[in-house]
Amino acid sequence: MTSQSALFDTYNRAPLGVERGEGCWLHDTDGRTFLDFGSGIAVNALGHAHPHLVSALTAQAGKLWHTSNLYRIPDQERLAERLCAATFADRVFFTNSGAEAVECAVKTARRYYYAKGEPERIGIITFEGAFHGRTLATIAAGGQAKYLEGFGPKAPGFDQVPFHDMDALEAAITDETAAILIEPVQGEGGLRPVPDETLRALREICDTHGLLLIFDEIQCGMGRTGRLFAHEHAGIAPDIMATAKALGGGFPVGACLATEEAASGMVPGVHGTTYGGNPLAMAVGNAVLDVMLEDGFLDAVEQKALRLKQGLVSLVDRFPDIFSDVRGKGLMTGLKCVVPNTDVVRALFDGHMLVVPAGDNVIRILPPLIVSDEEIGEGLARLEAAARGLSSRTGA
Ligand SMILES: *Cc1c(COP(=O)(O)O)cnc(C)c1O
């Protein structure tokens, strides 16, 4: 069906005109209310219209919107310092989106070797099922045919290996390899967590071969798995990391974090952005951190994740004709479906609950991290109702 609007026809949009939201709830222009367990694809980590974020944004809106990066932006320096204090990193570059944060990560890695006199080292090893964004370089990094098709030659320098094959990985390393790039929990690819021991093995391989390790924590970072960043569960750190989505709680902002060493090639003039890290984005990013770094916030995420997971396991047990597996980590969770995942998404939509489809026939259940126990119960009840409806249709 061709859409009637003047927009590019690149989205198959659900019949829902968004109007306003609060917390886990989204109201549409027809007066309907939806339980939003998609969080705008893991972005609205603090729910809709969180009072602290609203006041930070509106206060900043009355002061200063934009200056460019030709001048010092004190809140940008502050957010960078806070992110570094909370992570492995020493340096931060702010962007407007996730894809730009990955682009910056790739450029940082290549530039590191260039500055060391090894300009031939441009290769980035990535993994099947990965998703790193929709720019020309990040579709090459993701390597998925459906995103590459029709957009000209694939950007060179990205080599993809199977998800769980360390031998293939070792075999792909050459004298021209610069880095390994991986999502600690694959999002789009179907909520596949990389086992902690694999992440530790990747760190070791990078150390052995003198490669940089890059994590794409755009979706799994910023509290989603119960730690500020998902790799913390494995007790290792990357050299470079991209994050975005929940960092702005809905305001567009991304960041590339790096160690002092890894960032050493990024000297004045080699990279830039007009908007990245502007005062509005930085006010909101600092406000998001205020909430997430509060004592007990991340522990509460783990508690809620446990409650949700128990409910999901029970759904898999009771509706084996609809669901086959619980996927994910923390509140980055979901269900592998037996029936087409789009049928489940539609049945939930009809029950006024929003979730997000993913690859591998999975539905992503990504509630705001501030979700209450009652709202988790409500979500499970709506999932059960949808499963019951689908189950009677499949005749099981
Ligand atoms: C969403 C996402 C991106 C791309 O972010 P955009 O803001 O859409 O450019 C990249 N990597 C991962 C893992 C993502 O989930």
Side-chain angles (χ1 to χ4, degrees), residues 188-277:
E188 297 284 327
L191 293 175
R192 295 193 291 179
V194 180
D196 288 348
E197 58 275 18
T198 306
L199 288 179
R200 288 192 285 267
L202 290 177
R203 178 70 271 176
E204 235 179 88
I205 288 169
C206 284
D207 292 343
T208 306
H209 294 269
L211 308 178
L212 295 171
L213 182 58
I214 307 174
F215 286 156
D216 179 346
E217 293 229 18
I218 288 167
Q219 191 164 156
C220 61
M222 292 305 292
R224 184 50 56 188
T225 68
R227 301 284 173 90
L228 193 58
F229 291 100
H231 68 264
E232 294 170 25
H233 293 281
I236 47 100
D239 302 291
I240 303 172
M241 177 175 74
T243 190
K245 290 199 164 84
L247 177 60
F251 197 93
V253 58
C256 175
L257 285 69
T259 62
E260 189 71 37
E261 170 80 5
S264 58
M266 297 300 261
V267 295
V270 304
H271 191 49
T273 166
T274 301
Y275 295 119

Side-chain angles (χ1 to χ4, degrees), residues 90-213:
D90 307 305
R91 298 277 182 165
V92 183
F93 185 95
F94 288 105
T95 66
N96 310 291
S97 68
E100 284 172 285
V102 176
E103 293 259 352
C104 181
V106 169
K107 287 179 78 173
T108 301
R110 289 182 177 170
R111 187 78 202 181
Y112 170 76
Y113 289 106
Y114 175 86
K116 287 206 339 172
E118 299 177 76
E120 71 285 356
R121 289 180 72 165
I122 62 150
I124 312 287
I125 296 175
T126 66
F127 295 83
E128 280 174 9
F131 181 81
H132 297 297
R134 299 288 205 120
T135 61
L136 289 168
T138 56
I139 55 175
Q144 298 202 37
K146 64 178 174 180
Y147 297 140
L148 284 159
E149 189 185 355
F151 293 115
K154 181 174 168 239
F158 297 95
D159 306 304
Q160 200 153 53
V161 297
F163 191 58
H164 276 304
D165 189 339
M166 296 310 258
D167 293 338
L169 172 66
E170 295 257 15
I173 296 170
T174 71
D175 293 346
E176 295 184 3
T177 306
I180 293 174
L181 165 62
I182 191 166
E183 299 155 83
V185 184
Q186 271 191 357
E188 297 284 327
L191 293 175
R192 295 193 291 179
V194 180
D196 288 348
E197 58 275 18
T198 306
L199 288 179
R200 288 192 285 267
L202 290 177
R203 178 70 271 176
E204 235 179 88
I205 288 169
C206 284
D207 292 343
T208 306
H209 294 269
L211 308 178
L212 295 171
L213 182 58

